[in-house]
Amino acid sequence: KAGVTQTPRYLIKTRGQQVTLSCSPISGHRSVSWYQQTPGQGLQFLFEYFSETQRNKGNFPGRFSGRQFSNSRSEMNVSTLELGDSALYLCASSLVAGVDYEQYFGPGTRLTVT
Amino acid sequence: QKEVEQDPGPLSVPEGAIVSLNCTYSNSAFQYFMWYRQYSRKGPELLMYTYSSGNKEDGRFTAQVDKSSKYISLFIRDSQPSDSATYLCAMPRNTPLVFGKGTRLSVIA
């Protein structure tokens, strides 16, 4: 079974631009969560989608948004990029939403903002 | 106080050593406890998943949970150079996971 895939793997953008990252969950998984990983803050939760609906949202500004499609694929968008948005963005999928379902992570998208 | 605290290391041990990795947490509502391993330039992979206090063993890995002390541990026996990675503890608050900052481990051959 194929794992979680994320595209692109690496991205370089300049301040003020916007970016869209994509995540394809494991086949059959309906829940997708997004996390930001930085050396200073570690892994921080961005948002979670289940059946095309946002179930939870972390403490990030409105410049960070996401959506989920009917095939469970998900995208996240960051508008008006800032230098501090440079991070590894990780997507995780699970069978359904809930604390007792394991989350499987993709390899991440490394975003560099210059 | 952060919800989950983890010593970032780095931790360097010789091959064959027993490694102890630890996390403390403040939220008594946490019921599930996970350990993820993250190799450089990769996403985290689930290593161990435990519920409630006690020990769980999987090969060379043992996860230990002490809810009364809000303290969890991961022990690695007979450590190998391939165990060199960052180890992250995580606990679900509803579905989103709350992570420790991770401990970077190097096992020297």
Side-chain angles (χ1 to χ4, degrees):
Chain A
K1 186 186 271 190
V4 178
T5 58
Q6 292 187 245
T7 56
R9 291 293 312 278
Y10 301 93
L11 208 48
I12 299 175
K13 291 285 189 178
T14 56
R15 273 183 301 175
Q17 287 186 313
Q18 75 165 21
V19 67
T20 299
L21 312 180
S22 180
C23 170
S24 293
I26 292 171
S27 177
H29 283 195
R30 293 166 58 196
S31 176
V32 173
S33 297
W34 288 89
Y35 294 83
Q36 181 196 65
Q37 186 175 31
T38 59
Q41 298 299 318
L43 269 150
Q44 295 187 94
F45 170 72
L46 280 156
F47 24 66
E48 177 203 6
Y49 288 89
F50 177 70
S51 293
E52 301 178 68
T53 301
Q54 187 179 88
R55 287 188 77 243
N56 283 294
K57 189 177 190 307
N59 191 24
F60 278 81
R63 299 185 296 108
F64 292 81
S65 63
R67 58 178 175 167
Q68 186 181 34
F69 302 96
S70 58
N71 61 358
S72 295
R73 192 177 69 85
S74 178
E75 287 181 348
M76 69 163 280
N77 184 277
V78 188
S79 62
T80 319
L81 284 166
E82 300 177 359
L83 293 178
D85 297 333
S86 294
L88 181 67
Y89 289 88
L90 292 157
C91 163
S93 79
S94 62
L95 200 58
V96 293
V99 297
D100 52 350
Y101 288 94
E102 299 172 15
Q103 294 189 28
Y104 297 86
F105 283 82
T109 294
R110 172 78 59 185
L111 172 65
T112 302
V113 182
T114 61
Chain B
Q1 182 189 10
K2 278 192 168 289
E3 278 188 292
V4 180
E5 300 270 13
Q6 184 175 9
D7 186 338
L11 185 61
S12 185
V13 301
E15 182 176 358
I18 296 175
V19 177
S20 172
L21 304 165
N22 310 294
C23 287
T24 58
Y25 63 96
S26 58
N27 189 342
S28 58
F30 288 146
Q31 298 292 321
Y32 295 83
F33 305 90
M34 303 161 185
W35 285 95
Y36 281 83
R37 177 175 62 194
Q38 186 174 22
Y39 290 114
S40 181
R41 301 185 185 280
K42 302 276 189 181
E45 59 174 324
L46 184 64
L47 205 55
M48 300 281 286
Y49 188 126
T50 57
Y51 173 72
S52 78
S53 287
N55 292 358
K56 181 177 180 179
E57 192 173 313
D58 184 1
R60 295 185 296 110
F61 298 89
T62 299
Q64 190 173 80
V65 175
D66 181 350
K67 281 189 175 180
S68 63
S69 303
K70 297 190 181 69
Y71 190 86
I72 68 170
S73 300
L74 177 70
F75 298 96
I76 307 174
R77 288 186 302 279
D78 188 25
S79 56
Q80 303 295 310
S82 58
D83 295 328
S84 298
T86 297
Y87 290 81
L88 302 126
C89 61
M91 299 151 205
R93 190 204 308 115
N94 296 320
T95 306
L97 293 170
V98 181
F99 283 88
K101 284 197 173 180
T103 300
R104 184 174 294 180
L105 171 67
S106 294
V107 181
I108 311 301

